Amino acid sequence: MQSALRRARQVVAATMNPAIPADRFEWVGPDGAVDREMLSETREAIELLLTDRAVLHVGRISDLPIEANKRQELSNAIVRTAFDRLPSRRSISEETLNASLAMFVEDVALVRRDAVDSGVLVRSQDGAAYRLQSM
């Protein structure tokens, strides 16, 4: 999966800057021919990443950004994604939220706390349930 993402970045870079030497790309042979099979695999990997199954193929995030604003932005995106994949409910238990977040990230508590602090997630008075803040 990582090699497919690297190739995808290379394709974008080549599109944006055609002056980049083609020999720097693994999908271009020494004779300048494009390896269509390799690019097809890259396209399939990217299409997979755009589906709900992506979480099954990409490892969990282990290192969140240190800078608070960037970390909070990522935390909020993770929380919204987790809620999108849950059956529609007004609120969920902390246990359910933690299990959902754990599919995406190792530090569940930090992500949950960031989302609460930014107002994306609302915690019940007793701390037992959470709901996504309507925007």
Side-chain angles (χ1 to χ4, degrees):
M1 188 65 67
Q2 293 301 323
S3 61
L5 291 176
R6 184 178 58 252
R7 286 192 299 269
R9 286 188 207 101
Q10 291 173 352
V11 170
V12 171
T15 304
M16 300 202 48
N17 186 357
I20 296 174
D23 64 350
R24 295 184 56 200
F25 304 127
E26 60 189 50
W27 44 273
V28 177
D31 61 353
V34 172
D35 184 333
R36 293 183 186 273
E37 185 177 333
M38 192 178 284
L39 285 183
S40 179
E41 291 170 6
T42 301
R43 178 188 49 79
E44 290 168 8
I46 291 169
E47 288 175 352
L48 172 66
L49 289 173
L50 296 173
T51 69
D52 287 343
R53 296 180 327 217
V55 71
L56 302 174
H57 298 274
V58 178
R60 292 185 310 161
I61 299 168
S62 59
D63 296 319
L64 292 166
I66 294 173
E67 185 182 321
N69 288 340
K70 288 182 180 180
R71 188 188 67 242
Q72 203 165 50
E73 184 178 327
L74 179 58
S75 293
N76 291 345
I78 292 168
V79 166
R80 285 188 181 105
T81 302
F83 263 84
D84 284 347
R85 279 148 179 75
L86 291 170
S88 181
R89 295 185 222 166
R90 183 157 170 78
S91 67
I92 60 173
S93 69
E94 183 171 354
E95 181 181 18
T96 300
L97 177 60
N98 288 345
S100 298
L101 295 177
M103 292 186 70
F104 300 99
V105 67
E106 289 181 11
D107 195 342
V108 170
L110 180 58
V111 168
R112 191 182 62 237
R113 193 168 38 252
D114 279 346
V116 169
D117 290 348
S118 67
V120 168
L121 207 58
V122 178
R123 183 175 32 223
S124 65
Q125 288 283 1
D126 62 3
Y130 293 81
R131 67 178 171 81
L132 198 59
Q133 178 63 38
S134 302
M135 296 283 171

